[in-house]
Amino acid sequence: GVPQYGGTLVGTVVYPKANQGACKIFEEFDISFKSKPGGLPTFLLVNRGDCFFTLKAWNAQKAGAAAVLVADNQDESLITMDTPEEKNASAKYLQNITIPSALISKSLGDSLKKAITFGEMVKISLDWTESLPHPDERVEYEFWTNSNDECGPKCDSQMEFVKNFKGAAQVLEQKGYTQFIPHYITWYCPEAFLLSKQCKSQCINHGRYCAPDPEQDFSKGYDGKDVVVQNLRQACFFKVANESRKPWLWWDYVTDFALRCPMKEKKYTKDCADKVIQSLGVDLTKIDKCIGDTEADEENPVLKAEQDAQIGKGSRGDVTILPTLVINNRQYRGKLDKGAVLKAICAGFQETTEPTICLSKDIETNECLENNGGCWEDKTANITACRDTFRGRVCECPIVNGVKFSGDGYTHCEASGALQCEINNGGCWRETQEGKTYSACLVSSSLSVSSPSLFPVS
């Protein structure tokens, strides 16, 4: 689903009398959850089990629900809901889910069901305003990914995201709004199995760094160790590009490599990767040096750092699922989609410091458009104290053409300074006679005053 990062959503909870697992479309039961005009949005409460989380969310959305709450079926610590990994899983609707979803504990689910059964109206607020830290004007984020392109719908959607998000990511990075780092998950082979065919085909550096076989078949296609090497090459590409102060080139390399060097065309090779690197003008020698000897019985500093980074620090938690996005050291929850991820990144900026892209109508609602956000305004001079931000709006007296306005921003703002007569003539009389314009505005002690004398201004 798509969390509303930076915002809130309030709705009434409904627990359906039929199709309580939401594994079937609600049309079959003649049930709709579409809100009537003036009514609160509907949050659909469903039971966990019997089908994928994604199918529950999709069926809830199609029936008109604004959000879906999945009640756990056992008392346990909450897990992260994830998209299906099976290759034959239907992925046609995965990218069309637009509502938020949440897994809730069994005890909370039981409490909600009990209240609804007794005819009580249950209202819930889903609040994402503080779900991401937003301490300053720059957002740091990590993207945990994989060069494997043969893992079915999940790999396809991951690469689709990289292609779609590349432009926005590069602009944000180039202008200094973000600091981005890609990461790659690797696991190690237990010492007792170092000589097994599984470890030999899936690992490099004598079992220290491993990845699953792409086809889950050791007798054909590429091996897991091929994936580890390509992951290492992508990590080294970023390292070298970052040292050249062009970290955004990573997005070009990853998209170009996926397009030019796919596994299914047997081009997932060093030669193909080298051609892509050279086309982007990055030093190939430095990258090869960074990769090092993958057959050596020794640590690789880049991959060792990747393994260390997988362990959670502070509030982040361990990274165990691919792909994973970490924004301001907090794991992102939601669909891997350009709009959803951009909304989350925008929620990571300190209020009023967000870039223009965060204030586009596709990302947020401009609260200054309705009733001027409740702020002060001078309609005659077309000046307002309402300043739109990603998280809402602030009422702040403006600076217009070098003239600073002072006040509370809500009920009044007054021009101050030597140029105050330039704005709406300081609120004073002004008239043109016989080709000359006269003004009663005189700047005195940083205040505009109306004088009985006529001062020619032109």
Side-chain angles (χ1 to χ4, degrees), residues 436-439 454-458:
K436 290 187 177 183
T437 299
Y438 297 88
S439 169
L454 296 182
F455 300 98
V457 295
S458 65

Side-chain angles (χ1 to χ4, degrees), residues 265-421:
E265 295 180 15
K266 302 292 186 291
K267 294 180 179 178
Y268 189 81
T269 63
K270 181 183 187 310
D271 288 343
C272 188
D274 286 350
K275 290 177 182 176
V276 176
I277 293 169
Q278 289 171 329
S279 71
L280 294 172
V282 178
D283 194 325
L284 185 57
T285 305
K286 289 183 178 179
I287 292 175
D288 286 338
K289 184 178 179 181
C290 171
I291 293 171
D293 184 0
T294 58
E295 299 296 326
D297 185 6
E298 61 185 19
E299 296 279 9
N300 179 289
V302 174
L303 292 180
K304 180 65 170 64
E306 293 297 288
Q307 287 182 339
D308 292 341
Q310 288 171 219
I311 307 301
K313 296 176 180 65
S315 59
R316 193 201 71 181
D318 295 351
V319 177
T320 56
I321 295 174
L322 281 178
T324 289
L325 200 67
V326 178
I327 303 174
N328 283 353
N329 204 39
R330 192 75 58 82
Q331 287 197 29
Y332 163 82
R333 307 295 188 191
K335 185 173 68 172
L336 201 64
D337 167 84
K338 176 186 175 181
V341 170
L342 196 53
K343 185 182 286 285
I345 288 177
C346 289
F349 289 102
Q350 187 179 53
E351 199 165 32
T352 74
T353 69
E354 57 273 285
T356 307
I357 193 172
C358 293
L359 304 179
S360 65
K361 63 180 181 179
D362 296 328
I363 303 298
E364 62 95 43
T365 301
N366 188 344
E367 294 188 12
C368 291
L369 296 180
E370 186 174 343
N371 196 33
N372 198 49
C375 305
W376 171 89
E377 68 175 327
D378 182 337
K379 292 184 178 180
T380 303
N382 194 27
I383 300 172
T384 175
C386 191
R387 184 175 176 187
D388 183 37
T389 74
F390 177 77
R391 293 174 177 273
R393 63 94 177 95
V394 292
C395 294
E396 192 177 79
C397 291
I399 297 176
V400 182
N401 297 332
V403 178
K404 179 175 176 55
F405 284 73
S406 301
D408 63 8
Y410 293 91
T411 60
H412 72 282
C413 288
E414 295 179 357
S416 61
L419 297 175
Q420 58 188 289
C421 290

Side-chain angles (χ1 to χ4, degrees), residues 55-211:
L55 184 58
K56 296 176 188 291
W58 176 242
N59 287 335
Q61 178 178 309
K62 284 188 69 177
V68 58
L69 305 176
V70 183
D72 207 345
N73 50 14
Q74 56 187 331
D75 291 311
E76 61 179 350
S77 299
L78 293 177
I79 63 169
T80 299
M81 297 189 292
D82 196 19
T83 51
E85 292 208 19
E86 283 77 1
K87 288 189 176 182
N88 60 354
S90 174
K92 62 182 180 182
Y93 62 82
L94 296 182
Q95 293 306 309
N96 294 320
I97 297 174
T98 57
I99 64 173
S101 63
L103 180 68
I104 62 174
S105 66
K106 184 178 185 299
S107 59
L108 176 57
D110 289 343
S111 297
L112 296 175
K113 292 173 189 176
K114 183 178 179 180
I116 293 169
T117 301
F118 281 102
E120 295 182 29
M121 178 182 177
V122 179
K123 186 171 72 172
I124 277 184
S125 173
L126 301 177
D127 190 336
W128 295 274
T129 53
E130 298 301 323
S131 55
L132 282 175
H134 46 101
D136 52 37
E137 68 278 3
R138 190 181 72 176
V139 170
E140 290 84 31
Y141 71 105
E142 309 167 10
F143 182 42
W144 290 81
T145 181
N146 200 320
S147 63
N148 179 7
D149 60 13
E150 283 292 308
C151 62
K154 181 162 287 191
C155 279
D156 296 339
S157 64
Q158 181 180 181
M159 187 43 58
E160 191 66 22
F161 163 73
V162 171
K163 291 177 182 177
N164 292 336
F165 193 67
K166 181 180 78 167
Q170 290 181 321
V171 169
L172 289 170
E173 197 75 9
Q174 288 169 0
K175 294 189 175 182
Y177 289 115
T178 59
Q179 184 178 60
F180 159 75
I181 302 176
H183 284 294
Y184 299 85
I185 288 181
T186 66
W187 49 273
Y188 66 87
C189 181
E191 192 172 348
F193 302 99
L194 286 177
L195 299 179
S196 67
K197 66 177 182 180
Q198 288 89 348
C199 280
K200 286 186 175 180
S201 84
Q202 297 182 97
C203 309
I204 65 172
N205 291 98
H206 288 238
R208 287 179 173 85
Y209 315 105
C210 315

